[in-house]
Amino acid sequence: MLPDPSLDLAHYRVTFFFGPEPDAQHPERLSCVFNVKKRSWKGGVQVAVEINLEQLDRARRALGWSAWLDRVLTGVPDDEHEGYRARAEDLLAQALCACKLDLRLQAGLAQENQRIRAESWSRELDRAVVAHQAVIKSHILTELDLTEDSNLPADK
């Protein structure tokens, strides 16, 4: 998710697996799971990345989320807004988890299945969201098949 991967990140292949999923024991948390493989490893590992609702709210504020999403949905029929909004929320959570994973990868990652807790990398994630908001928004637009310029689905 970060636009300028370090040389260390180039050694990893990251594949989104699933999420965001709520945590049954901690309803204020969401998690996404990624498969991570480093070139030198014989096999990949699964990394669950947690974010909490507070981190998600801070990201929404930093991105001007509500106003931006309202603007990009102006060309979408009203009866489709709810579906687009729900998908956009999932994509935002996925993007935040991917950003947090990238931060962890830059610091190095052991070859074992693991969980990156919601409390970890919180300040760094806040800075990454601000620094890379254009990339995050562009990713979400692409996944929604929308363009910011035309406010219409990209295939129309």
Side-chain angles (χ1 to χ4, degrees):
M1 199 75 245
L2 299 176
D4 300 319
S6 70
L7 292 176
D8 289 337
L9 282 183
H11 295 288
Y12 293 97
R13 185 180 70 234
V14 177
T15 306
F16 175 71
F17 190 49
F18 69 87
E21 296 289 324
D23 184 327
Q25 295 177 342
H26 302 280
E28 73 285 355
R29 291 184 191 162
L30 299 172
S31 66
C32 294
V33 177
F34 298 85
N35 289 317
V36 180
K37 169 118 177 34
K38 192 173 183 180
R39 288 183 187 172
S40 61
W41 296 347
K42 288 186 179 186
V45 298
Q46 287 192 346
V47 180
V49 182
E50 297 177 347
I51 58 169
N52 61 40
L53 298 180
E54 184 180 313
Q55 291 168 326
L56 194 54
D57 286 341
R58 284 195 309 266
R60 285 186 190 112
R61 284 192 301 275
L63 296 168
W65 182 251
S66 293
W68 175 78
L69 192 55
D70 287 345
R71 191 173 63 254
V72 300
L73 293 179
T74 58
V76 173
D78 290 344
D79 62 335
E80 295 180 24
H81 279 217
E82 186 177 325
Y84 274 92
R85 286 184 189 283
R87 180 74 176 124
E89 287 292 334
D90 283 350
L91 291 167
L92 177 59
Q94 291 170 10
L96 296 180
C97 288
C99 283
K100 191 180 274 195
L101 177 58
D102 283 351
L103 292 165
R104 181 66 183 102
L105 292 175
Q106 289 174 350
L109 186 75
Q111 187 182 0
E112 58 190 21
N113 294 342
Q114 56 194 279
R115 177 173 298 276
I116 300 172
R117 299 281 177 206
E119 302 79 28
S120 303
W121 302 95
S122 187
R123 286 187 299 225
E124 296 87 350
L125 178 62
D126 290 344
R127 288 191 295 267
V129 168
V130 170
H132 304 292
Q133 62 182 295
V135 172
I136 293 168
K137 288 177 177 179
S138 176
H139 169 74
I140 291 167
L141 285 172
T142 299
E143 292 296 316
L144 291 174
D145 200 22
L146 295 173
T147 62
E148 196 159 2
D149 296 334
S150 67
N151 294 328
L152 294 173
D155 63 346
K156 294 185 179 179

